[in-house]
Amino acid sequence: MDKEMRNIITHIRQSLSWKLSLGILLMAIPIFILSIGFLFIHSRDKVKKEATKYAASMVNTTMQQITRFMDIVETATDVNDWEVTANLDPDSILAISRGIVMLNGHIDGCSISTEPNIFPKYGRNFSAYTVREADTITTVIEEPYEYFEKVWYKKPHLLGKPCWVVYYDESDSLALTLDGMIASYSKPLYNKNKHFVGIISTDLSLIRLSKVITSEMPYEGSYFMMTGSDGNYLVHPDSTQLFVKTIYTDANPRENADIFALGHEMTTGKTGSMSVRINGEQCLVSYQAVPGTDWSLALVCPEWSILRSYNRLNYIIAPLFIIGLILVLLFSSVTVAHAILPLNKLTGNLQRIAAGHYDEQIPRSPRRDVVSQLQNSFASMQESLKDHVDEIRQMNEESLRRNEELVHTSELAKASSQQKTLFIQNVSHQVRTPLNIIMGFAQVLKEAKDLMPDEEARSVTDMMRHNAMLLNRMVLMLSDCSARGVTLELYASKEEEVSCVEVAQESIDQVRGNYPNFDFRLTVDLPDDFYITTNRHYLLISVRELLNNAANYSTGGYAWLRVTEYLSKVRFIVQDEGPGIPKEESDRMFEMFTKVNDLSEGLGLGLALTKRHIQNLGGSVYIDESYTEGCRMVIELPKVK
């Protein structure tokens, strides 16, 4: 026997697979124990958390049922109190009291009680009361008693507003609830002179309410309880504690601090959950304040009931633990047997790399034997090769990207150079033409001034003045175009109250000096005293530029400026008859150095500068494409900034 044991030990020492398998098993045992222990602890916490959520959900659902009952009582009371004060006589009060109970199946009673001597015929007291007993509804005039000191009468009278009260009917003559417990919604009544005349009180059976909320419990041994403002029990499975004991009655401040903490949370109207030891049992208590009252509802769930299914797992885990260790030993022995023969896989990887698949990943081995060292060496070589190939690929991609950027930059530079050349040529042409005209006419005036008729001399001077103004306009445009440092603050710093009528008239007057024979028409749909806050200088320049364009390109001999309102904006509309601007060119016309055609007069800056000025003033300028008989340009500015 000893010899066989020695042979087995020798075999295990010489077998790498068995040595590794036993090592894995020895490692797996503490891992299993720790994992199962962690699983147990985590599962226990998870079960408690789920139970807490479930209990809170049950409390919330039950609270909705209670709130629905209370809403029915409150609504029935609120919709009938005016009828009592409007028909303040005994017969009407009896009928209203009966109608409230008869029409609302969840209401168990209704009393309407008046102040002393309201009805002398009935003496000092008068109280009509209706009660539901099984399927019978009874309405009576109560026997005289001092109900003025009852909590359902006194509390709303003192507060001057409706409130919920719970009281104990000592006589229990109507047998509404267990031990005479009644929840009542009481509301003070006032006549048309705002004088207090009595109380309407609608009753809800707490025993019936208790049956409703305890009809379905989430766990065995769980129950609902409801407490009042001082912690007294309003609903409890032990009926002997109702209205007699509080949540603190049998608790010791030192030993049952958790019960006192729970009582404080509930009596202060808070919502939450906590673990409390009640009657020697650890319980989960979920609580929530009842809206509109000083009551609090709580669901008490014993912890043993919550964890019952969880505790049964102990009888399942132990056999699974043993079976798991056996399976680990079996699977590890098979796995190790295959793990010591990785050369075939390594050979296949190397063949794929030799075939050109450089992305083939050779796995690294964490062991230190010869095979693993060989495998790791090939893996390092393959990673280096892959990194080198990736670097070459990245360099090629980067070179290609830079070449594309250089081509794009070269094209932009070429286009910029062409645009610069065209602009200089255009400026030279546009400036040279009016200068030649001015210089030519100046020479004519110098040589033939005395021989020239006055009318012809005036025509010459007008032509010189017109071209001088054109030259001045181009110089101002070039200066304005180069002023890229103009900011919104500069526009805003010179804002003032501007008359739209004056701007329109002044724009026409200034442009008419350049085109004395052109017909400028003005229509203003605004009052003379209509003002907006804007920069007058840039608005005047913008309107004047549109009028200049209309005069240049109009073939109808007129341009029409119209000033009008549109919603919260003011519009300056310039319209002419002529070739207009093609739709496909309308957006491009607001770019710098753009003209309808290269032979037309101007530098191609007018509309671009106008757009810049109007946008900086908070408005917009656009071409009205719906107008097809020429060109219609629109400037829109806000009436109020």
Side-chain angles (χ1 to χ4, degrees), residues 168-219:
Y168 184 79
D169 186 1
E170 296 178 354
S171 63
D172 199 19
S173 58
L174 300 176
L176 287 177
T177 61
L178 182 63
D179 293 334
M181 290 289 294
I182 297 174
S184 182
Y185 177 70
S186 300
K187 184 173 185 180
L189 300 172
Y190 297 91
N191 61 18
K192 61 182 180 180
N193 296 323
K194 306 300 181 181
H195 292 154
F196 176 73
V197 295
I199 295 290
I200 179 171
S201 180
T202 310
D203 301 332
L204 183 64
S205 169
L206 281 183
I207 188 62
R208 189 153 62 88
L209 182 62
S210 177
K211 290 180 180 179
V212 171
I213 64 178
T214 58
S215 60
E216 183 179 351
M217 290 292 106
Y219 301 102

Side-chain angles (χ1 to χ4, degrees), residues 70-84:
M70 295 173 66
D71 287 343
I72 291 173
V73 174
E74 291 179 8
T75 303
T77 305
D78 293 339
V79 299
N80 286 283
D81 64 339
W82 68 270
E83 190 172 358
V84 176

Side-chain angles (χ1 to χ4, degrees), residues 494-508:
K494 296 184 179 180
E495 287 185 348
E496 56 182 310
E497 295 290 328
V498 177
S499 170
C500 297
V501 178
E502 292 180 1
V503 168
Q505 188 60 56
E506 186 173 346
S507 300
I508 289 179

Side-chain angles (χ1 to χ4, degrees), residues 580-596:
I581 298 175
K583 289 185 178 180
E584 60 273 11
E585 298 290 333
S586 58
D587 291 336
R588 198 174 66 87
M589 292 307 299
F590 291 101
E591 297 177 1
M592 290 289 188
F593 317 121
T594 302
K595 299 190 294 182
V596 177

Side-chain angles (χ1 to χ4, degrees), residues 217-488:
M217 290 292 106
Y219 301 102
E220 182 182 351
S222 60
Y223 60 90
F224 278 101
M225 67 178 182
M226 185 185 293
T227 62
S229 59
D230 55 355
N232 57 305
Y233 290 116
L234 306 181
V235 173
H236 196 276
D238 185 0
S239 60
T240 61
Q241 300 191 35
L242 297 177
F243 233 61
V244 178
K245 293 185 179 181
T246 69
I247 195 172
Y248 312 106
T249 300
D250 299 324
N252 187 311
R254 292 185 178 181
E255 298 177 359
N256 307 111
D258 51 354
I259 292 182
F260 280 85
L262 173 63
H264 175 73
E265 291 283 304
M266 294 180 65
T267 55
T268 54
K270 295 183 180 178
T271 299
S273 299
M274 65 170 56
S275 181
V276 182
R277 195 167 190 81
I278 301 176
N279 297 328
E281 291 183 346
Q282 199 67 29
C283 300
L284 171 66
V285 181
S286 183
Y287 51 91
Q288 183 175 345
V290 180
T293 70
D294 53 7
W295 314 335
S296 183
L297 178 69
L299 174 61
V300 181
C301 302
E303 194 168 294
W304 62 264
S305 179
I306 294 174
L307 298 176
R308 172 176 290 178
S309 299
Y310 167 80
N311 292 329
R312 292 174 181 169
L313 291 176
N314 295 326
Y315 302 104
I316 302 175
I317 294 298
L320 289 178
F321 178 74
I322 298 173
I323 294 173
L325 291 178
I326 296 173
L327 291 176
V328 167
L329 180 61
L330 294 176
F331 282 115
S332 62
S333 62
V334 174
T335 303
V336 170
H338 287 282
I340 61 176
L341 298 174
L343 292 178
N344 290 334
K345 184 176 181 180
L346 178 61
T347 302
N349 291 332
L350 294 176
Q351 289 176 350
R352 287 182 60 82
I353 292 174
H357 300 281
Y358 301 111
D359 293 336
E360 181 72 21
Q361 185 67 38
I362 300 177
R364 288 184 173 271
S365 174
R367 303 193 304 274
R368 297 182 178 274
D369 54 28
V370 175
V371 175
S372 299
Q373 291 178 3
L374 178 63
Q375 181 178 347
N376 292 338
S377 298
F378 274 104
S380 299
M381 181 181 67
Q382 189 266 343
E383 289 174 357
S384 299
L385 181 62
K386 181 178 180 298
D387 292 340
H388 183 64
V389 172
D390 290 341
E391 288 178 1
I392 295 175
R393 184 185 296 111
Q394 290 178 0
M395 290 177 61
N396 290 336
E397 292 176 353
E398 183 67 19
S399 298
L400 180 62
R401 184 182 63 82
R402 290 185 178 181
N403 289 337
E404 292 176 352
E405 290 180 354
L406 288 174
V407 171
H408 180 66
T409 303
S410 176
E411 291 176 352
L412 290 177
K414 183 178 180 180
S416 177
S417 177
Q418 292 176 350
Q419 187 178 22
K420 178 180 177 181
T421 302
L422 291 175
F423 175 69
I424 293 174
Q425 292 175 351
N426 187 31
V427 170
S428 301
H429 171 73
Q430 296 295 336
V431 172
R432 184 170 62 251
T433 300
L435 280 177
N436 289 338
I437 293 174
I438 293 172
M439 292 176 63
F441 279 120
Q443 185 67 28
V444 170
L445 289 175
K446 179 180 179 181
E447 295 177 355
K449 179 179 180 182
D450 297 334
L451 302 176
M452 186 179 298
D454 292 342
E455 182 177 353
E456 187 175 349
R458 281 195 301 273
S459 176
V460 169
T461 56
D462 288 343
M463 183 66 69
M464 293 175 66
R465 178 176 176 274
H466 175 74
N467 283 274
M469 293 181 70
L470 289 178
L471 187 61
N472 180 65
R473 177 167 169 257
M474 284 187 285
V475 172
L476 290 176
M477 281 188 180
L478 290 172
S479 175
D480 196 1
C481 179
S482 64
R484 296 187 178 273
V486 177
T487 63
L488 294 176

